[in-house]
Amino acid sequence: MSLRLLQHRDENGARSVIAAQGDRATIVPGATSVRELALAAIAASQSLAEAVAAAGEGAEVDLAAAHAAGRLIAPIDHPDTAHVILTGTGLTHLGSAEGRDKMHKAAAAAETLTDSMRMFLEGLEGGKPGAGAIGQQPEWFYKGDGQQLVDPGAPLTMPSFAKDGGEEPELAGVYLIGDDGTPYRLGLCLANEFSDHVTERHNYLWLAHSKLRQASIGPELLVGDAPTDVRGASRIKRDGAVIWEKPFLSGEDNMSHTLANLEHHHFKYDLFRRPGDLHVHFFGTATLSFSDGIATQPGDVFEIEAAPFTLPLANPLARAPGDAAVPSVVKAL
């Protein structure tokens, strides 16, 4: 059974860490955050699973009840949100080029490969190198720092100037940088990477703008070896009714890159190996409601679920207040 770690906050704001295996979940004694637990594991030369086992078992927890009550927060955070870095890679999944190519095809002649298709094909050819080799680098993007990370159940809020708010169901890796600059993968989460696909469709060079949006990760951090075949469903509800639903696939069996190759091309940069920092890295998807012509609206609810995660990730869509026609003003000193 896979070990899953969750973070809980009670009605008084007191925090705890929950360890779950199968249907059984218990408090991890003495732990108030997954980050602190991971730091202790690194210091003791233990794995996260060994650190949890060494802590023993506390009281049992009804995960379904805690989830329904909104007491489960994102499974990773930092007291200073500037030390949480949100990034991602795209065109990493088998079939992921189709939706992107639909958006970008009009910008190129029919007989010419778009840049997106070229990058996807390069990933197919070189994204899974042999042991000890470095493969083709993927598309990479930045989403922001920890203030952009939304708890499960909380609204995903698009800016007032956004053209769209669309879901991206995928897996995200969670990493902690050790004192010596070593990146440690703590585990994987279900994720909604959330982007502005209308802005991206206008011009693929606006991808960077379209990705500067919030994101949410599911309440469970899956510890240990990454599953190679993840199968789930992504849906959108409006006024309580499902208006769109589609299966999604992830894991290396369904990807054109290995996780190790994606990790290398992120952490090869010294600036991403600053001791103490946390990274949430989104691994990409091949399933978008936008590709099927769905136009989302505030109040819609995104739901993502997949085994071996036992709890879904659900977030309503909201738009930030403000007048998009009013320019930002910079004062000269």
Side-chain angles (χ1 to χ4, degrees):
M1 292 184 291
S2 300
L3 172 64
R4 294 149 8 245
L5 295 179
L6 306 90
Q7 295 194 135
H8 180 274
R9 182 185 289 124
D10 69 17
E11 62 274 10
N12 298 315
R15 293 172 51 124
S16 57
V17 173
I18 299 169
Q21 287 187 293
D23 295 330
R24 190 165 185 269
T26 58
I27 297 292
V28 179
T32 59
S33 77
V34 169
R35 182 183 70 91
E36 291 174 353
L37 187 63
L39 286 170
I42 294 171
S45 298
Q46 295 176 316
S47 68
L48 259 180
E50 289 170 339
V52 169
E57 288 189 355
E60 288 201 34
V61 179
D62 184 334
L63 279 189
H67 184 58
R71 296 299 178 192
L72 301 179
I73 60 176
I76 196 68
D77 59 356
H78 194 289
D80 182 354
T81 56
H83 288 283
V84 182
I85 300 170
L86 275 57
T87 55
T89 43
L91 296 170
T92 54
H93 283 63
L94 304 176
S96 63
E98 179 184 358
R100 184 77 67 84
D101 211 42
K102 286 180 183 177
M103 290 194 277
H104 299 170
K105 200 81 173 183
E111 65 274 8
T112 304
L113 288 176
T114 64
D115 286 344
S116 292
M117 186 59 77
R118 286 176 56 218
M119 183 171 288
F120 173 72
L121 293 175
E122 288 171 356
L124 278 180
E125 182 177 351
K128 292 186 173 182
I134 296 173
Q136 179 67 35
Q137 66 181 358
E139 174 191 62
W140 180 97
F141 54 84
Y142 172 71
K143 287 192 67 67
D145 64 17
Q147 65 184 323
Q148 295 281 75
L149 190 60
V150 171
D151 285 333
L156 282 165
T157 304
M158 53 183 167
S160 60
F161 54 79
K163 304 298 184 184
D164 168 59
E167 88 296 335
E168 296 210 8
E170 49 197 88
L171 296 178
V174 175
Y175 304 86
L176 173 63
I177 310 302
D179 289 341
D180 62 353
T182 299
Y184 290 87
R185 187 202 302 150
L186 308 187
L188 300 179
C189 296
L190 270 183
N192 187 340
E193 192 254 299
F194 191 61
S195 300
D196 185 337
H197 301 111
V198 172
T199 291
E200 181 193 347
R201 180 179 60 183
H202 177 81
N203 187 321
Y204 76 93
L205 295 176
W206 285 359
L207 174 76
H209 288 278
S210 75
K211 294 298 186 181
L212 290 174
R213 299 293 186 268
Q214 294 181 332
S216 186
I217 57 177
E220 298 167 291
L221 179 72
L222 186 69
V223 175
D225 294 335
T228 59
D229 184 20
V230 175
R231 297 170 180 261
S234 177
R235 68 182 64 90
I236 299 174
K237 290 183 177 179
R238 181 173 296 164
D239 299 325
V242 176
I243 64 166
W244 177 87
E245 184 171 11
K246 205 166 188 176
F248 82 94
L249 304 176
S250 194
E252 286 189 1
D253 290 352
N254 305 299
M255 297 173 67
S256 51
H257 289 259
T258 62
L259 295 190
N261 191 52
L262 300 179
E263 291 168 340
H264 162 74
H265 285 294
H266 179 68
F267 291 112
K268 67 185 180 184
Y269 294 101
D270 289 343
L271 77 162
F272 294 145
R273 297 198 303 273
R274 183 171 58 186
D277 278 2
L278 292 167
H279 289 251
V280 179
H281 190 79
F282 300 89
F283 289 122
T285 188
T287 305
L288 303 173
S289 65
F290 183 81
S291 298
D292 291 340
I294 299 296
T296 60
Q297 61 188 42
D300 289 352
V301 177
F302 304 117
E303 288 187 354
I304 302 167
E305 59 184 11
F309 303 94
T310 64
L311 298 174
L313 172 60
N315 301 91
L317 175 63
R319 182 182 288 275
D323 188 345
V326 176
S328 299
V329 176
V330 175
K331 293 184 179 180
L333 287 179

